[in-house]
mmCIF file with all atom_site columns, all heavy atoms in Angstrom:
data_model
loop_
_atom_site.group_PDB
_atom_site.id
_atom_site.type_symbol
_atom_site.label_atom_id
_atom_site.label_alt_id
_atom_site.label_comp_id
_atom_site.label_asym_id
_atom_site.label_entity_id
_atom_site.label_seq_id
_atom_site.pdbx_PDB_ins_code
_atom_site.Cartn_x
_atom_site.Cartn_y
_atom_site.Cartn_z
_atom_site.occupancy
_atom_site.B_iso_or_equiv
_atom_site.pdbx_formal_charge
_atom_site.auth_seq_id
_atom_site.auth_comp_id
_atom_site.auth_asym_id
_atom_site.auth_atom_id
_atom_site.pdbx_PDB_model_num
ATOM 1   N N   . LEU A 1 40 ? 174.580 80.306 154.133 1.00 0.00 ? 48  LEU A N   1
ATOM 2   C CA  . LEU A 1 40 ? 174.628 80.265 155.588 1.00 0.00 ? 48  LEU A CA  1
ATOM 3   C C   . LEU A 1 40 ? 175.681 79.234 155.971 1.00 0.00 ? 48  LEU A C   1
ATOM 4   O O   . LEU A 1 40 ? 175.612 78.081 155.536 1.00 0.00 ? 48  LEU A O   1
ATOM 5   C CB  . LEU A 1 40 ? 173.279 79.868 156.166 1.00 0.00 ? 48  LEU A CB  1
ATOM 6   C CG  . LEU A 1 40 ? 172.115 80.790 155.830 1.00 0.00 ? 48  LEU A CG  1
ATOM 7   C CD1 . LEU A 1 40 ? 170.810 80.199 156.327 1.00 0.00 ? 48  LEU A CD1 1
ATOM 8   C CD2 . LEU A 1 40 ? 172.332 82.163 156.428 1.00 0.00 ? 48  LEU A CD2 1
ATOM 9   N N   . PHE A 1 50 ? 171.141 79.605 149.010 1.00 0.00 ? 58  PHE A N   1
ATOM 10  C CA  . PHE A 1 50 ? 169.950 80.108 148.329 1.00 0.00 ? 58  PHE A CA  1
ATOM 11  C C   . PHE A 1 50 ? 170.371 80.884 147.095 1.00 0.00 ? 58  PHE A C   1
ATOM 12  O O   . PHE A 1 50 ? 171.285 81.708 147.163 1.00 0.00 ? 58  PHE A O   1
ATOM 13  C CB  . PHE A 1 50 ? 169.142 81.038 149.243 1.00 0.00 ? 58  PHE A CB  1
ATOM 14  C CG  . PHE A 1 50 ? 168.584 80.365 150.463 1.00 0.00 ? 58  PHE A CG  1
ATOM 15  C CD1 . PHE A 1 50 ? 169.334 80.274 151.626 1.00 0.00 ? 58  PHE A CD1 1
ATOM 16  C CD2 . PHE A 1 50 ? 167.316 79.819 150.453 1.00 0.00 ? 58  PHE A CD2 1
ATOM 17  C CE1 . PHE A 1 50 ? 168.831 79.659 152.750 1.00 0.00 ? 58  PHE A CE1 1
ATOM 18  C CE2 . PHE A 1 50 ? 166.792 79.192 151.572 1.00 0.00 ? 58  PHE A CE2 1
ATOM 19  C CZ  . PHE A 1 50 ? 167.554 79.110 152.730 1.00 0.00 ? 58  PHE A CZ  1
ATOM 20  N N   . SER A 1 69 ? 163.484 87.421 151.315 1.00 0.00 ? 77  SER A N   1
ATOM 21  C CA  . SER A 1 69 ? 163.121 86.270 152.118 1.00 0.00 ? 77  SER A CA  1
ATOM 22  C C   . SER A 1 69 ? 163.084 84.988 151.297 1.00 0.00 ? 77  SER A C   1
ATOM 23  O O   . SER A 1 69 ? 162.981 85.017 150.069 1.00 0.00 ? 77  SER A O   1
ATOM 24  C CB  . SER A 1 69 ? 161.738 86.524 152.734 1.00 0.00 ? 77  SER A CB  1
ATOM 25  O OG  . SER A 1 69 ? 161.306 85.435 153.513 1.00 0.00 ? 77  SER A OG  1
ATOM 26  N N   . SER A 1 70 ? 163.101 83.876 152.011 1.00 0.00 ? 78  SER A N   1
ATOM 27  C CA  . SER A 1 70 ? 162.878 82.567 151.385 1.00 0.00 ? 78  SER A CA  1
ATOM 28  C C   . SER A 1 70 ? 161.418 82.142 151.527 1.00 0.00 ? 78  SER A C   1
ATOM 29  O O   . SER A 1 70 ? 161.036 81.083 151.044 1.00 0.00 ? 78  SER A O   1
ATOM 30  C CB  . SER A 1 70 ? 163.786 81.512 152.043 1.00 0.00 ? 78  SER A CB  1
ATOM 31  O OG  . SER A 1 70 ? 163.453 81.359 153.422 1.00 0.00 ? 78  SER A OG  1
ATOM 32  N N   . LEU A 1 71 ? 160.605 82.980 152.146 1.00 0.00 ? 79  LEU A N   1
ATOM 33  C CA  . LEU A 1 71 ? 159.205 82.646 152.400 1.00 0.00 ? 79  LEU A CA  1
ATOM 34  C C   . LEU A 1 71 ? 158.296 83.151 151.282 1.00 0.00 ? 79  LEU A C   1
ATOM 35  O O   . LEU A 1 71 ? 158.466 84.270 150.792 1.00 0.00 ? 79  LEU A O   1
ATOM 36  C CB  . LEU A 1 71 ? 158.750 83.248 153.727 1.00 0.00 ? 79  LEU A CB  1
ATOM 37  C CG  . LEU A 1 71 ? 159.549 82.814 154.958 1.00 0.00 ? 79  LEU A CG  1
ATOM 38  C CD1 . LEU A 1 71 ? 159.066 83.561 156.188 1.00 0.00 ? 79  LEU A CD1 1
ATOM 39  C CD2 . LEU A 1 71 ? 159.453 81.317 155.165 1.00 0.00 ? 79  LEU A CD2 1
ATOM 40  N N   . ARG A 1 73 ? 155.227 84.137 151.437 1.00 0.00 ? 81  ARG A N   1
ATOM 41  C CA  . ARG A 1 73 ? 154.418 85.310 151.787 1.00 0.00 ? 81  ARG A CA  1
ATOM 42  C C   . ARG A 1 73 ? 155.157 86.621 151.512 1.00 0.00 ? 81  ARG A C   1
ATOM 43  O O   . ARG A 1 73 ? 154.548 87.670 151.437 1.00 0.00 ? 81  ARG A O   1
ATOM 44  C CB  . ARG A 1 73 ? 153.939 85.227 153.232 1.00 0.00 ? 81  ARG A CB  1
ATOM 45  C CG  . ARG A 1 73 ? 155.013 85.401 154.274 1.00 0.00 ? 81  ARG A CG  1
ATOM 46  C CD  . ARG A 1 73 ? 154.396 85.411 155.677 1.00 0.00 ? 81  ARG A CD  1
ATOM 47  N NE  . ARG A 1 73 ? 155.401 85.390 156.693 1.00 0.00 ? 81  ARG A NE  1
ATOM 48  C CZ  . ARG A 1 73 ? 155.633 84.365 157.502 1.00 0.00 ? 81  ARG A CZ  1
ATOM 49  N NH1 . ARG A 1 73 ? 154.922 83.271 157.395 1.00 0.00 ? 81  ARG A NH1 1
ATOM 50  N NH2 . ARG A 1 73 ? 156.569 84.440 158.406 1.00 0.00 ? 81  ARG A NH2 1
ATOM 51  N N   . LEU A 1 86 ? 170.761 71.706 153.155 1.00 0.00 ? 94  LEU A N   1
ATOM 52  C CA  . LEU A 1 86 ? 169.853 71.948 154.275 1.00 0.00 ? 94  LEU A CA  1
ATOM 53  C C   . LEU A 1 86 ? 169.037 73.221 154.139 1.00 0.00 ? 94  LEU A C   1
ATOM 54  O O   . LEU A 1 86 ? 168.351 73.613 155.076 1.00 0.00 ? 94  LEU A O   1
ATOM 55  C CB  . LEU A 1 86 ? 170.659 71.989 155.578 1.00 0.00 ? 94  LEU A CB  1
ATOM 56  C CG  . LEU A 1 86 ? 171.409 70.704 155.925 1.00 0.00 ? 94  LEU A CG  1
ATOM 57  C CD1 . LEU A 1 86 ? 172.253 70.911 157.176 1.00 0.00 ? 94  LEU A CD1 1
ATOM 58  C CD2 . LEU A 1 86 ? 170.450 69.553 156.100 1.00 0.00 ? 94  LEU A CD2 1
ATOM 59  N N   . SER A 1 87 ? 169.066 73.870 152.982 1.00 0.00 ? 95  SER A N   1
ATOM 60  C CA  . SER A 1 87 ? 168.384 75.160 152.840 1.00 0.00 ? 95  SER A CA  1
ATOM 61  C C   . SER A 1 87 ? 166.871 75.047 153.033 1.00 0.00 ? 95  SER A C   1
ATOM 62  O O   . SER A 1 87 ? 166.233 75.993 153.486 1.00 0.00 ? 95  SER A O   1
ATOM 63  C CB  . SER A 1 87 ? 168.711 75.810 151.503 1.00 0.00 ? 95  SER A CB  1
ATOM 64  O OG  . SER A 1 87 ? 168.401 74.954 150.444 1.00 0.00 ? 95  SER A OG  1
ATOM 65  N N   . LYS A 1 88 ? 166.286 73.909 152.728 1.00 0.00 ? 96  LYS A N   1
ATOM 66  C CA  . LYS A 1 88 ? 164.845 73.742 152.934 1.00 0.00 ? 96  LYS A CA  1
ATOM 67  C C   . LYS A 1 88 ? 164.475 73.729 154.413 1.00 0.00 ? 96  LYS A C   1
ATOM 68  O O   . LYS A 1 88 ? 163.327 73.923 154.769 1.00 0.00 ? 96  LYS A O   1
ATOM 69  C CB  . LYS A 1 88 ? 164.356 72.470 152.253 1.00 0.00 ? 96  LYS A CB  1
ATOM 70  C CG  . LYS A 1 88 ? 164.390 72.574 150.743 1.00 0.00 ? 96  LYS A CG  1
ATOM 71  C CD  . LYS A 1 88 ? 163.584 71.469 150.110 1.00 0.00 ? 96  LYS A CD  1
ATOM 72  C CE  . LYS A 1 88 ? 163.614 71.576 148.615 1.00 0.00 ? 96  LYS A CE  1
ATOM 73  N NZ  . LYS A 1 88 ? 162.752 72.578 148.074 1.00 0.00 ? 96  LYS A NZ  1
ATOM 74  N N   . LEU A 1 89 ? 165.460 73.534 155.289 1.00 0.00 ? 97  LEU A N   1
ATOM 75  C CA  . LEU A 1 89 ? 165.214 73.539 156.728 1.00 0.00 ? 97  LEU A CA  1
ATOM 76  C C   . LEU A 1 89 ? 165.280 74.936 157.331 1.00 0.00 ? 97  LEU A C   1
ATOM 77  O O   . LEU A 1 89 ? 164.973 75.117 158.502 1.00 0.00 ? 97  LEU A O   1
ATOM 78  C CB  . LEU A 1 89 ? 166.233 72.633 157.435 1.00 0.00 ? 97  LEU A CB  1
ATOM 79  C CG  . LEU A 1 89 ? 166.251 71.165 157.006 1.00 0.00 ? 97  LEU A CG  1
ATOM 80  C CD1 . LEU A 1 89 ? 167.374 70.426 157.715 1.00 0.00 ? 97  LEU A CD1 1
ATOM 81  C CD2 . LEU A 1 89 ? 164.906 70.510 157.265 1.00 0.00 ? 97  LEU A CD2 1
ATOM 82  N N   . TRP A 1 90 ? 165.701 75.910 156.536 1.00 0.00 ? 98  TRP A N   1
ATOM 83  C CA  . TRP A 1 90 ? 165.877 77.284 157.008 1.00 0.00 ? 98  TRP A CA  1
ATOM 84  C C   . TRP A 1 90 ? 164.791 78.187 156.452 1.00 0.00 ? 98  TRP A C   1
ATOM 85  O O   . TRP A 1 90 ? 164.366 78.041 155.308 1.00 0.00 ? 98  TRP A O   1
ATOM 86  C CB  . TRP A 1 90 ? 167.234 77.829 156.553 1.00 0.00 ? 98  TRP A CB  1
ATOM 87  C CG  . TRP A 1 90 ? 168.404 77.247 157.268 1.00 0.00 ? 98  TRP A CG  1
ATOM 88  C CD1 . TRP A 1 90 ? 168.975 76.029 157.045 1.00 0.00 ? 98  TRP A CD1 1
ATOM 89  C CD2 . TRP A 1 90 ? 169.137 77.851 158.312 1.00 0.00 ? 98  TRP A CD2 1
ATOM 90  N NE1 . TRP A 1 90 ? 170.027 75.851 157.880 1.00 0.00 ? 98  TRP A NE1 1
ATOM 91  C CE2 . TRP A 1 90 ? 170.158 76.956 158.677 1.00 0.00 ? 98  TRP A CE2 1
ATOM 92  C CE3 . TRP A 1 90 ? 169.051 79.072 158.976 1.00 0.00 ? 98  TRP A CE3 1
ATOM 93  C CZ2 . TRP A 1 90 ? 171.079 77.238 159.678 1.00 0.00 ? 98  TRP A CZ2 1
ATOM 94  C CZ3 . TRP A 1 90 ? 169.963 79.359 159.970 1.00 0.00 ? 98  TRP A CZ3 1
ATOM 95  C CH2 . TRP A 1 90 ? 170.966 78.448 160.318 1.00 0.00 ? 98  TRP A CH2 1
ATOM 96  N N   . GLU A 1 91 ? 164.383 79.145 157.258 1.00 0.00 ? 99  GLU A N   1
ATOM 97  C CA  . GLU A 1 91 ? 163.554 80.264 156.821 1.00 0.00 ? 99  GLU A CA  1
ATOM 98  C C   . GLU A 1 91 ? 164.382 81.513 157.034 1.00 0.00 ? 99  GLU A C   1
ATOM 99  O O   . GLU A 1 91 ? 164.782 81.813 158.158 1.00 0.00 ? 99  GLU A O   1
ATOM 100 C CB  . GLU A 1 91 ? 162.258 80.337 157.621 1.00 0.00 ? 99  GLU A CB  1
ATOM 101 C CG  . GLU A 1 91 ? 161.329 79.179 157.374 1.00 0.00 ? 99  GLU A CG  1
ATOM 102 C CD  . GLU A 1 91 ? 160.045 79.268 158.188 1.00 0.00 ? 99  GLU A CD  1
ATOM 103 O OE1 . GLU A 1 91 ? 159.948 80.126 159.084 1.00 0.00 ? 99  GLU A OE1 1
ATOM 104 O OE2 . GLU A 1 91 ? 159.146 78.462 157.923 1.00 0.00 ? 99  GLU A OE2 1
ATOM 105 N N   . VAL A 1 92 ? 164.650 82.221 155.957 1.00 0.00 ? 100 VAL A N   1
ATOM 106 C CA  . VAL A 1 92 ? 165.501 83.405 156.013 1.00 0.00 ? 100 VAL A CA  1
ATOM 107 C C   . VAL A 1 92 ? 164.692 84.614 155.575 1.00 0.00 ? 100 VAL A C   1
ATOM 108 O O   . VAL A 1 92 ? 164.065 84.591 154.515 1.00 0.00 ? 100 VAL A O   1
ATOM 109 C CB  . VAL A 1 92 ? 166.729 83.242 155.086 1.00 0.00 ? 100 VAL A CB  1
ATOM 110 C CG1 . VAL A 1 92 ? 167.588 84.491 155.104 1.00 0.00 ? 100 VAL A CG1 1
ATOM 111 C CG2 . VAL A 1 92 ? 167.525 82.002 155.462 1.00 0.00 ? 100 VAL A CG2 1
ATOM 112 N N   . THR A 1 93 ? 164.695 85.669 156.398 1.00 0.00 ? 101 THR A N   1
ATOM 113 C CA  . THR A 1 93 ? 164.035 86.916 156.040 1.00 0.00 ? 101 THR A CA  1
ATOM 114 C C   . THR A 1 93 ? 164.873 88.088 156.531 1.00 0.00 ? 101 THR A C   1
ATOM 115 O O   . THR A 1 93 ? 165.242 88.140 157.702 1.00 0.00 ? 101 THR A O   1
ATOM 116 C CB  . THR A 1 93 ? 162.618 87.010 156.649 1.00 0.00 ? 101 THR A CB  1
ATOM 117 O OG1 . THR A 1 93 ? 161.839 85.918 156.163 1.00 0.00 ? 101 THR A OG1 1
ATOM 118 C CG2 . THR A 1 93 ? 161.944 88.318 156.273 1.00 0.00 ? 101 THR A CG2 1
#
Side-chain angles (χ1 to χ4, degrees):
L48 300 173
F58 296 88
S77 179
S78 63
L79 302 176
R81 70 175 172 249
L94 299 176
S95 56
K96 290 195 180 282
L97 301 176
W98 288 78
E99 293 180 350
V100 178
T101 300

